[in-house]
Amino acid sequence: MPSIRTGDDYVDSLRNRGVTVYLFGETVAEPVDNPMIRPSINALKATYDLAISDPDLATAHSPIIDAPVNRFLHIPTSSEDLVTKNRMQRRMGQITGTCFQRCAGLDTVSVLHSITYDIDQKHGTAYHRRFLDFLAAAQRANIIIGAGMTDPKGDRSKRPHEQADPDMFLHVTRRTERGIYVTGAKAHMTGGLNSHWIAVMPTMNLGEEDSDYAVVGLVPGDAEGISYIYGRQSCDARAFEAGEIDKGNARFGGQETLTVFDDVFIPWEHVLMDGEYEFAQEMVSRFTAYHRASYVCKTGLGDVMVGAAAAIAEMNGAEKASHIKDKLVEMVHLNETIFSSGIASSHEAKPLPSGAWMNDSMLSNVCKHNVTRFPYEISRMAQDIAGGIVVTLPSEADFEHEIAGPILKKYMKGKDDIPVEHRQRMLRLIENMTLGRNAVGYLTESLHGAGSPQAQRIQIARQMDAEGKKKLARDLAGIRD
């Protein structure tokens, strides 16, 4: 693995890989240069740039290689590691205003550190050593590891082995002396195309009959048999239009792909689970403890939304209205509520037998459950403050038109000292984050990413200890059993 240091190095590392990518019914010759794909690459590029500009925040000393590494490749060895990770995630959200696509991979390697150790303790396997060897090389090369967890699932009423089409869940098709072969797909994979390696793993608890689906493996993103089908996003075709104003956020965007594995080979040294089905549920549970706390990244986007709402109010001349001030306070209150539960889960982290530290699961689930609701309310208030013009603003081309342009610049004026173009840009940013491409990362991803709302409620119910709480109430009420 050649070493990557800067954001530009990262972009260059994605060129000439020969990956198969489908977009709009065609194959993409060079994804790096595609106008729809490039903003998502820029968002990942920013994770490298932040490590250089703010190493205290975005790097950590790795005991695995005894050297500083990008924090997105670091195994947390203390609660402070997890707290700093959350602060970094918020900062990345502020910088990009979108999903920067590295959290799932980071949380995957954190889980694999502990789960491979636990499997080895029970079965005498060599998974943990394999994982440490791979991660050491990944840290030295400073690569991006993507997470392949969510399977298409097919008929949700059936277990993996009961599906009419076995490929609805990624599974082992054959084993050889050299390794295994897997077939299936991973759905809405965040940053899949932009990752150097992909860690595939089960998406749910498994039974003995599902043992071929109990597989964890590390696969190069350009491995033979892998193809990517690019997911559409609202207003995504604006990427091909001239100008940048109507794009809202022209520099940064998210990415989801359907990543297809067609008889993909994984050598034994990169296999970290093969048939140990009894560990699948615990692995998923640990992943959610990490990843649901990682949704504090949305508070960085929330900071941008609050700023955009405050700015457009000022441009409209409404910044002194009491109801505008009250809405901004409420937006901040909701945003900080998300952050407080997430960072609390990191402060309350505990060590696992492998030496990795894991977020408090209850607080992590509370954080993610807040995220399923509050960004929608923050977005509603931003649209309320912006006014109806956020969805009726004419195009940038009309503003540049010989006849229509001067008319628009006259009637789209806000405060006298604010250029009309500034108002255009702020309205488009609000549109982008609440209705357009980056609404995927701020809204729908907040709802369904890391598990839909009911998934968090199930975990909260499992940990709520109603009996213990009833005992507290009985004691204070003077009820003696």
Side-chain angles (χ1 to χ4, degrees):
M1 300 180 190
S3 182
I4 298 169
R5 195 182 81 85
T6 69
D8 289 334
D9 291 342
Y10 163 67
V11 174
D12 289 341
S13 75
L14 297 182
R15 292 189 180 278
N16 304 313
R17 294 195 297 167
V19 291
T20 300
V21 185
Y22 299 98
L23 175 60
F24 291 135
E26 299 177 349
T27 56
V28 180
E30 179 49 80
V32 173
D33 297 323
N34 185 281
M36 187 178 292
I37 298 173
R38 184 56 181 264
S40 68
I41 295 173
N42 290 342
L44 280 161
K45 175 180 181 291
T47 68
Y48 288 91
D49 295 336
L50 184 64
I52 294 172
S53 65
D54 193 349
D56 289 342
L57 183 66
T59 69
H61 187 87
S62 170
I64 295 174
I65 63 170
D66 192 25
V69 299
N70 192 297
R71 193 173 291 278
F72 282 104
L73 288 169
H74 178 58
I75 302 297
T77 57
S78 67
S79 62
E80 187 57 36
D81 268 346
L82 291 164
V83 169
T84 307
K85 165 193 165 186
N86 290 157
R87 291 176 175 148
M88 173 187 69
Q89 289 167 321
R90 184 171 189 166
R91 180 64 184 132
M92 281 300 308
Q94 294 170 345
I95 292 169
T96 64
T98 190
C99 172
F100 42 89
Q101 308 151 62
R102 287 196 76 171
C103 299
L106 166 57
D107 296 332
T108 294
V109 297
S110 299
V111 170
L112 293 180
H113 187 279
S114 64
I115 210 73
T116 55
Y117 179 90
D118 291 351
I119 296 174
D120 287 358
Q121 293 300 300
K122 178 177 180 180
H123 292 290
T125 45
Y127 296 142
H128 191 62
R129 183 71 263 164
R130 294 176 187 175
F131 169 75
L132 292 177
D133 289 345
F134 173 83
L135 186 60
Q139 288 180 342
R140 291 189 182 98
N142 199 17
I143 61 169
I144 289 176
I145 301 171
M149 171 171 272
T150 305
D151 294 285
K153 297 187 180 73
D155 184 343
R156 270 66 168 173
S157 69
K158 295 181 178 180
R159 305 291 300 173
H161 74 278
E162 296 172 330
Q163 298 290 327
D165 184 345
D167 297 344
M168 290 299 99
F169 291 79
L170 188 134
H171 59 108
V172 178
T173 56
R174 55 195 168 108
R175 297 171 178 84
T176 70
E177 291 183 359
R178 296 176 54 241
I180 63 175
Y181 290 80
V182 297
T183 292
K186 292 297 180 179
H188 35 255
M189 187 176 162
T190 304
L193 176 60
N194 297 339
S195 302
H196 300 105
W197 284 72
I198 299 171
V200 296
M201 52 189 169
T203 193
M204 59 185 287
N205 64 307
L206 301 171
E208 186 173 359
E209 302 90 339
D210 303 313
S211 58
D212 282 340
Y213 299 88
V215 57
V216 175
L218 303 162
V219 189
D222 57 357
E224 183 179 355
I226 293 182
S227 59
Y228 303 89
I229 305 176
Y230 210 85
R232 290 212 66 176
Q233 298 172 329
S234 177
C235 304
D236 56 8
R238 292 188 189 182
F240 298 107
E241 296 177 4
E244 66 172 33
I245 294 177
D246 285 353
K247 297 177 178 66
N249 181 349
R251 284 183 292 163
F252 301 112
Q255 178 195 107
E256 292 77 34
T257 62
L258 177 68
T259 306
V260 181
F261 298 78
D262 183 10
D263 205 32
V264 174
F265 174 69
I266 307 176
W268 286 118
E269 59 265 29
H270 292 151
V271 175
L272 306 179
M273 176 190 286
D274 181 25
E276 293 84 8
Y277 64 89
E278 70 273 24
F279 285 91
Q281 182 171 2
E282 179 62 21
M283 186 187 69
V284 172
S285 178
R286 291 182 193 179
F287 177 81
T288 60
Y290 285 113
H291 199 46
R292 289 172 184 170
S294 284
Y295 272 69
V296 297
C297 68
K298 304 308 176 193
T299 61
L301 280 72
D303 291 331
V304 176
M305 282 274 35
V306 172
I312 199 64
E314 184 177 11
M315 293 174 182
N316 290 343
E319 74 274 17
K320 294 181 180 179
S322 60
H323 71 95
I324 297 293
K325 294 177 181 178
D326 188 60
K327 288 182 176 73
L328 292 172
V329 168
E330 180 63 9
M331 292 168 76
V332 171
H333 163 69
L334 293 172
N335 204 45
E336 298 302 335
T337 299
I338 293 171
F339 191 68
S340 61
S341 53
I343 206 163
S345 78
S346 294
H347 275 293
E348 293 296 302
K350 297 291 187 295
L352 296 167
S354 71
W357 283 58
M358 188 177 77
N359 293 76
D360 179 88
S361 180
M362 171 64 89
L363 291 170
S364 178
N365 278 277
V366 169
C367 171
K368 177 54 178 55
H369 206 47
N370 286 337
V371 172
T372 67
R373 301 175 177 179
F374 295 167
Y376 285 89
E377 184 64 9
I378 292 169
S379 296
R380 185 188 69 80
M381 285 186 282
Q383 290 185 351
D384 185 0
I385 292 170
I389 192 66
V390 77
V391 293
T392 64
L393 186 70
S395 72
E396 180 178 357
D398 289 322
F399 276 88
E400 298 302 320
H401 189 266
E402 180 181 358
I403 298 174
I407 297 172
L408 287 172
K409 288 171 185 175
K410 173 182 177 177
Y411 289 110
M412 291 296 113
K413 185 74 174 173
K415 291 179 73 171
D416 287 340
D417 60 341
I418 303 292
V420 172
E421 183 181 310
H422 290 190
R423 191 164 180 253
Q424 275 180 269
R425 288 179 177 274
M426 198 58 64
L427 288 166
R428 287 300 186 207
L429 177 62
I430 295 171
E431 180 197 40
N432 170 268
M433 295 185 69
T434 64
L435 296 166
R437 288 197 71 180
N438 286 325
V440 174
Y442 189 46
L443 298 180
T444 312
E445 184 181 282
S446 293
L447 184 67
H448 289 295
S452 302
Q454 190 59 26
Q456 290 104 61
R457 298 185 76 85
I458 290 170
Q459 287 293 89
I460 291 169
R462 286 173 177 170
Q463 301 173 57
M464 66 187 287
D465 187 21
E467 292 304 315
K469 290 176 172 59
K470 284 193 289 185
K471 186 177 185 301
L472 296 174
R474 286 174 179 273
D475 180 63
L476 287 174
I479 299 174
R480 303 289 180 262
D481 293 332

